[in-house]
Structure formats: structure tokens, C-alpha cells
Amino acid sequence: MLKVLMATSEAVPFAKTGGMADVCGALPVELKRLGHDVRLIMPAYPSVFASGQPIEETDVRFDIPIGNQVLTGRLLRSALPESDVPVYLVEQHDFFGRVGLYGEGGQDYRDNCQRFVFFSRAVMETMRLLEMDVDVVHCNDWQTALVPAYLAIEYRGARGFESTVSLFTIHNLAYQGRFWHWDMLLTGLDWKYFNWQQMEFYGDLNLMKTGIVFADAINTVSPRYSEEIQRPPLGCGLEGVLSNRRECLSGILNGVDYGVWNPANDSALSQQYSIDNWREGKARCKAALQERLGLLRDPNVPLFGLVGRLVEQKGINLVYEIMQRWSHQHPVQWALLGTGDPRYHRQLQELAHEFPNRVAVRLEFSDELARQIEAGADMFLMPSRYEPCGLNQLYSLKYGTIPIVHETGGLADTVVDTREETIADQSANGFSFDDFSVVGLERALERGCNLYLHNRQAWEQIVTTAMSQDWSWKRSAREYVALYEQTVARVKETICA
């Protein structure tokens, strides 16, 4: 049995801005089910108290040195829903009692470095004061990237930390926690570590780089992304650092909670369905979606769905250009849900107004409608320029809605392009394109439509393949356990040598 402490700045259901929250809310539960002692620690934001989860006080207080100040915090305790996974909540009202997690009104908080120095120090003090004897402290993105540095520089070999190793998971390398050089004083670490090989990055303090350099192991949220970030442009300036640590770098795909995302028990659907009755179930869900969105009710017209941020990183520029032409030329339908760039808001609304029977755009977020699009659409669009892992393509596979994706990151790792050979060996589960361009996406859409309209047998085969695959957290958790064990063994061997 391993003792694991997962350190994160967000986790469902307590706080969320992105996919990291889903990972940190689901993975600990699966690790616990595999028989490991798993705990989670995160800041106590206002959203934590609004989560509906019971919050208990503890008698743990800590004084944290930040620069020339000493700031006080305390520890609260809760648990992940429907589990006995403890959640430790670091309360420091001046830092974490704010509306946003990292900023407000599109602007980052100016003291973010100070806030997450405090949190990282609090993680270390929590392990010490509670005498956890942790085997693996699992850190996530730049907000916890100082934890591996503190472990390596100040705590390695200290009582209670003799066997503790660190794993640093990169969810999105584009967000690095980069601050001006004088913020190095806040960390309490010696200035000698502020150098181009460790914590310095073009004259600034870079916390993401710090985590990469000092962690005992590094992983990303898909194998392909772990390769992509070792070269430009997806390395975001850190490709050299990552390449130097490639022997300690790996990728593990995120999973899906099939207790939540499963058409067999999804209460948002007009008819629930499984792999055994998906033809009838998806037909009814498609009809219900067309009716709800005001689209022409037609069971035979190809219906494309898209749920997510309407920004160019997600490929909305490619989608919009194709929609403009196809709305005039092709009898297909489009159902889009999300918010993003106001320019695309306006353009998509104009298109929906011009073609109300073919184009439906909802500039909002609705979990219910997202699920209905996943179930009612025939194909799901994810033409992201880059995508560390992606979750919607995994939802789509389970719902029998064939994903059309750009071949990058986790999209490349989960979607097998439909070709003659992949149809023959029954591995095809979607359509992908390598060239991030309008032409590349359009060819994939054309291939999808052609198979849907003219080769029903092959279409039904790829739907069945998609729905039968296992992308659950149970699979991911087993891979994390193997990585934990490898890291513990490797570090122990190094120490003994």
C-alpha cells in the first residue's frame, strides 16, 4: 500500500477552472479503491464552503515565512464525495478568501506568487505536523511546483520524509507561473538556485520550470503531449529543460468517470441507451436535440456537435469558415455550445439567424445541453490546435458520437482514424487530420459524412468500437500506481547507491 498526498490548487466539487480539477477530484477516489492510502490538499476558497460538502475544523495551525513576513494559516478537513478520501483545506483568508482562484476580470492576482508560495509551504508543514510519512507527494501544475523544490532542498532525509518522493504532473505547459525575479525572495530558497538550469527563465522566476527541475518524476496527461512538449512550439520555451529530463518524463491519459458520463444512466437524455440499444437511443436523442434547438427534425441529416471554448486554440476559426460555406452547400446541421472570443460569438449568431434550420448556437454553458449534444449529435468536433489530453472526445466515444479531431496530444492517443485498414481490424473509432488547416478539417468532415451517409455497416462498426472502449479512471489509476512504484524504487536505489 502506498501513502499518497495529492497537492492541487483545484478539485471537483470544491473548486474548478479547468480539467485539472476533474483529475484531482476523480483520481484519488480510484487510487483509494485500489487499496492505497490517498489524501488531497488544496486551498480553502469560498467555493469550498459552497460545495455542500461537510467541513470540519482541526487544531492544526501553521506559521509560514513569506519573504520578511510570517503569515498564519489553519487546516480544515473534508472528504471527496461518496468516498473516504480525506481532503485537507488550507485556510488563509487574505490569500484564498477571494472571488476567483487565480484572478478576476481577466487579470491575474498580482500576489499569485506569494499566495502559492504560502500554499506550497503549507503542504510541507501539513505532512510534517500530521506525521503522514508520505511515499509520494503528487503535485499538479505551477501552483504546487515549489513542493518538489522544498522536498529536494529542505526536507529530503528529514524525519518523516526519508522515503518521500515527488511526482509533478503538467496539465497545460502554457501556464507556467512566471514572476519577476525579486519574487525569488518570497520562496525562502537560496539565491543560488536562481540560475538558468534551475529556477530562472529569461530573467524571471518560473515555477513550472522549478517543478520540472526538482521533481523526482514528471508526467503529462497524455503520452503524445509528453513528446510534443519536448520541442517547439508546444514546449513553450521549456523544451530544453524537459528534453534534459526525458528519462523521468512520461504521459498518462486522463480518465472519465463513467458513473457521471454514461448514456446508460444519464438523466439529461430523453432516452438512456447502451451499446446494446444505441441505434434506437441515439435516434431518439437526436430527434429531441433537433427539437430543442429548433433544427429541422430529420433523422438522416448528419448532425455535428461542438461543446467548449469558442477560441482559436480550440479550432473555432476552422469550424466557422467551413460552416459558412457548408450552410449554403451541404445538407448538414450544427449544434454549438460554449463561450469564448466575442468575434466568433457575433459571427456564429449571424449564421444561426441566417440558417435557423441548420445552425444552432448557444453562447452559454449548460451541463444538461452538453450531455444532450453528446448523445444527439452524430459526430463531435474537436479540431484543437493543441490539446494536452481532452475529455470531450472521451465522452463522445462512450456516447457513440464519432469524434473528428486534430491529431495532437490526447486526441491523437485516443482517436484512431477511420481508414480501410482500421475498419478491417476494427480499431477505427473516429476521424483525425494532421494538417491544422481548413483543408485538413474539411477533408475529415467529408470523410465522416460520406461514411455516415453511404456505408452504414462501417459506420455502425466504428460506433460499436467507440462505445466498447475503456477510458475509465480505473485504467488511469493503475498506470499512476505503476509510476509511483517505479519512482519510489528508482529514488531509493539512487539514495542507497
Side-chain angles (χ1 to χ4, degrees):
M1 180 186 72
L2 290 167
K3 292 184 178 179
V4 180
L5 178 66
M6 184 165 292
T8 180
S9 59
E10 54 185 87
V12 169
F14 298 103
K16 176 177 177 175
T17 64
M20 182 170 71
D22 296 300
V23 176
C24 295
L27 178 57
V29 176
E30 288 297 334
L31 292 170
K32 184 76 172 182
R33 288 173 182 160
L34 292 176
H36 300 283
D37 180 352
V38 187
R39 309 176 190 199
L40 186 139
I41 185 167
M42 63 176 290
Y45 309 107
S47 60
V48 165
F49 302 98
S51 67
Q53 291 297 109
I55 309 293
E56 303 171 0
E57 293 190 4
T58 75
D59 59 0
V60 177
R61 304 286 190 276
F62 28 67
D63 295 322
I64 303 291
I66 304 289
N68 58 5
Q69 302 180 74
V70 176
L71 301 174
T72 301
R74 69 170 181 162
L75 206 63
L76 307 177
R77 180 177 168 134
S78 185
L80 289 174
E82 300 178 13
S83 80
D84 56 353
V85 175
V87 177
Y88 297 103
L89 304 161
V90 175
E91 186 178 51
Q92 214 295 332
H93 184 75
D94 290 340
F95 284 158
F96 304 123
R98 307 180 185 181
V99 173
L101 271 58
Y102 316 119
E104 295 176 40
Q107 298 294 320
D108 290 343
Y109 292 129
R110 296 186 62 167
D111 60 348
N112 270 347
C113 186
Q114 191 173 7
R115 297 171 74 224
F116 290 101
V117 166
F118 182 91
F119 177 62
S120 296
R121 287 279 187 190
V123 171
M124 304 306 297
E125 283 299 283
T126 298
M127 286 192 282
R128 183 181 69 84
L129 293 169
L130 296 183
E131 299 181 349
M132 288 185 177
D133 293 325
V134 169
D135 294 308
V136 182
V137 56
H138 184 165
C139 306
N140 295 271
D141 270 355
W142 70 264
Q143 295 90 344
T144 58
L146 280 168
V147 171
Y150 290 137
L151 177 62
I153 296 169
E154 298 182 354
Y155 288 79
R156 181 75 79 196
R159 183 178 177 183
F161 294 88
E162 294 92 345
S163 62
T164 304
V165 303
S166 60
L167 171 66
F168 183 55
T169 297
I170 300 169
H171 296 266
N172 192 333
L173 191 65
Y175 301 97
Q176 298 184 359
R178 185 172 173 179
F179 304 98
W180 78 322
H181 63 284
W182 288 115
D183 278 346
M184 182 68 186
L185 293 170
L186 301 175
T187 69
L189 296 173
D190 196 296
W191 270 102
K192 70 181 182 181
Y193 298 108
F194 189 78
N195 64 74
W196 68 273
Q197 292 179 308
Q198 292 177 305
M199 299 177 72
E200 183 266 341
F201 184 75
Y202 294 97
D204 289 337
L205 171 65
N206 188 313
L207 299 188
M208 179 70 81
K209 179 178 179 179
T210 300
I212 293 168
V213 168
F214 286 100
D216 294 306
I218 311 149
N219 83 296
T220 68
V221 290
S222 72
R224 175 67 72 94
Y225 190 57
S226 72
E227 298 170 2
E228 291 174 338
I229 60 176
Q230 294 183 56
R231 57 184 182 272
L234 295 187
C236 302
L238 295 177
E239 54 271 7
V241 183
L242 288 157
S243 184
N244 284 339
R245 300 224 60 201
R246 58 185 172 273
E247 292 183 2
C248 299
L249 174 62
S250 61
I252 297 176
L253 277 163
N254 288 340
V256 173
D257 184 348
Y258 287 143
V260 176
W261 289 93
N262 190 335
N265 55 28
D266 194 333
S267 60
L269 308 186
S270 57
Q271 178 171 324
Q272 297 170 350
Y273 61 92
S274 68
I275 195 170
D276 298 319
N277 65 338
W278 67 265
R279 295 165 185 82
E280 176 189 356
K282 282 193 66 66
R284 291 198 178 182
C285 288
K286 181 175 181 176
L289 180 64
Q290 289 171 326
E291 183 173 351
R292 173 171 178 171
L293 296 179
L295 299 171
L296 182 67
R297 188 162 173 172
D298 184 341
N300 299 314
V301 63
L303 173 52
F304 295 107
L306 185 153
V307 177
R309 290 188 295 122
L310 306 178
V311 295
E312 293 194 358
Q313 186 258 311
K314 297 294 186 180
I316 191 61
N317 51 321
L318 309 185
V319 174
Y320 173 69
E321 188 167 333
I322 293 171
M323 287 176 67
Q324 275 187 301
R325 286 187 283 105
W326 280 36
S327 295
H328 290 89
Q329 302 167 0
H330 298 274
V332 302
Q333 294 178 343
W334 310 83
L336 278 67
L337 172 66
T339 60
D341 189 329
R343 174 169 51 123
Y344 291 108
H345 286 192
R346 183 177 64 257
Q347 292 173 340
L348 290 167
Q349 283 179 313
E350 290 173 355
L351 205 57
H353 180 74
E354 186 177 358
F355 299 97
N357 291 332
R358 294 188 180 181
V359 178
V361 177
R362 298 293 184 269
L363 302 175
E364 58 179 304
F365 179 77
S366 164
D367 183 66
E368 180 185 64
L369 183 54
R371 293 167 180 277
Q372 292 170 356
I373 291 174
E374 286 285 6
D378 300 301
M379 288 165 271
F380 193 93
L381 303 182
M382 285 190 73
S384 305
R385 182 181 293 275
Y386 69 91
E387 195 69 63
C389 177
L391 288 173
N392 277 103
Q393 87 277 15
L394 301 181
Y395 302 154
S396 300
L397 292 169
K398 187 65 175 178
Y399 282 66
T401 301
I402 299 305
I404 299 179
V405 305
H406 178 218
E407 192 175 337
T408 184
L411 303 178
D413 286 327
T414 53
V415 177
V416 177
D417 189 36
T418 299
R419 305 184 302 274
E420 285 186 14
E421 57 269 32
T422 58
I423 292 175
D425 67 16
Q426 298 188 359
S427 63
N429 64 359
F431 297 88
S432 64
F433 62 99
D434 181 54
D435 177 27
F436 185 77
S437 66
V438 172
V439 172
L441 174 58
E442 189 164 28
R443 286 174 179 165
L445 295 180
E446 288 170 344
R447 289 192 293 124
C449 285
N450 185 60
L451 197 75
Y452 177 83
L453 293 170
H454 305 299
N455 191 343
R456 202 64 193 176
Q457 182 178 355
W459 180 266
E460 293 188 356
Q461 177 186 303
I462 66 172
V463 171
T464 301
T465 297
M467 294 187 71
S468 64
Q469 294 177 322
D470 178 15
W471 299 107
S472 68
W473 274 112
K474 183 179 294 185
R475 171 196 52 79
S476 301
R478 291 194 182 105
E479 293 187 44
Y480 271 104
V481 170
L483 179 56
Y484 295 156
E485 291 173 341
Q486 291 165 11
T487 305
V488 169
R490 177 169 50 77
V491 173
K492 186 176 182 179
E493 182 179 327
T494 302
I495 293 173
C496 293

